[in-house]
Amino acid sequence: MNAPGNAVLAPGMTIGRARREVAERLRAHGLDTPELDARLLVGHALGLDHHALTVEFARVLTRPETDRLGADVARRLGHEPVARIVGHKEFWSLPLRITAAVLVPRPETETVVEAALAVVARNRAERPAAARIADIGVGSGAILLALLSELPHAVGIGTDRDAGALEVARRNAEHLGLAGRAAFVACDFGAALAGSCDLVASNPPYVATADIATLAPEVRDFDPRGALDGGSDGLTAYRAIAADACRLLAPGGWLVVEVGIGQADAVTALLAGGGLEPAGAPCRDLSGGPRVVTARYNP
């Protein structure tokens, strides 16, 4: 008997037809991007990139290929994110390895990178030395590695409570040729850091505990809970970061943090209460929502 994902697949069908069949199956289940998901799943099952899929669209599939593809489709029909099925996700045009230990990087988090690059440029005009960057809750390394890829003279350190996440970040740094400028340490927030950072960036857990059950299954059932759960009001991590920010930052240094919906004002107040100088209106993501709060240490 065929598995659920195999119902529309059979040896002898062409790659082009397989893509169409998979997309239709995903669309019928209400998934948001069926054509894109189908292309990625077919490419992963066959070991082909986008160009090869196009060139070989008329090639017929073998039984092992349809079995692999059917298994992947079944996982997607169970709402497992495509990035977890294929094992990687692009962020800031960088290919990042993804495992169950880390969040799948979101497009809106690129707003953190944009805001961080802006404040580094501002700092460089005042202090031309190489930037010292810390990424608190580094996860896959997305933010830190994106920044290091743009700032060839910068050095950085990423912290995380989870050893599995740190291993993912290390491997991503090695794969991208950035390991020589990146270090990783296990600790709560910035507890193991010595301070004197020009920039501290973070995408901390910010979902209120009671709200986790309401998240999309791709997030609720597959992202690590520790990377989501921000405590009863979603602000636990920001309180810890705000309390330690002045110790972590060099004079004139910047803190850049991602925030959830409706949290910008509360996070801004927490940072101000911790001795930082908020930098005005939050930065907005591509959907127009306030996504990033920045603040400066001016002792």
Side-chain angles (χ1 to χ4, degrees), residues 102 135-145 157-160 165-166 169 184:
V102 300
D135 182 353
I136 294 176
V138 71
S140 65
I143 294 172
L144 178 62
L145 299 178
I157 187 166
T159 74
D160 208 289
L166 291 170
F184 302 94

Side-chain angles (χ1 to χ4, degrees), residues 83-98:
R84 296 203 180 280
I85 297 170
V86 304
H88 58 84
K89 176 71 173 180
E90 185 174 283
F91 179 86
W92 201 259
S93 298
L94 303 175
L96 298 177
R97 179 174 180 265
I98 300 299

Side-chain angles (χ1 to χ4, degrees), residues 86-261:
V86 304
H88 58 84
K89 176 71 173 180
E90 185 174 283
F91 179 86
W92 201 259
S93 298
L94 303 175
L96 298 177
R97 179 174 180 265
I98 300 299
T99 74
V102 300
L103 288 173
V104 174
R106 316 296 203 252
E108 54 265 29
T109 300
E110 292 190 348
T111 311
V112 177
V113 179
E114 293 169 355
L117 290 173
V119 299
V120 168
R122 192 181 311 181
N123 266 14
R124 185 179 290 157
E126 301 170 7
R127 299 196 307 273
R132 295 158 296 177
I133 301 168
D135 182 353
I136 294 176
V138 71
S140 65
I143 294 172
L144 178 62
L145 299 178
L147 290 171
L148 293 179
S149 75
E150 295 284 350
L151 301 167
H153 301 296
V155 294
I157 187 166
T159 74
D160 208 289
R161 298 172 178 174
D162 188 275
L166 291 170
E167 179 60 22
V168 174
R170 286 191 190 98
R171 290 183 63 177
N172 281 330
E174 290 167 0
H175 177 70
L176 295 170
L178 297 169
R181 294 191 286 125
F184 302 94
V185 62
C187 68
D188 281 344
F189 303 109
L193 302 183
S196 298
C197 296
D198 299 299
L199 169 70
V200 174
S202 184
N203 176 20
Y206 57 66
V207 181
T209 304
D211 291 341
I212 292 176
T214 71
L215 298 174
E218 284 83 353
V219 178
R220 179 191 67 222
D221 298 337
F222 294 97
D223 277 338
R225 188 180 179 96
L228 298 173
D229 195 340
S232 60
D233 61 356
L235 300 175
T236 297
Y238 299 108
R239 292 189 183 95
I241 292 169
D244 206 23
C246 291
R247 182 187 69 82
L248 295 176
L249 289 167
W254 287 85
L255 176 68
V256 179
V257 293
E258 180 169 333
V259 298
I261 296 171

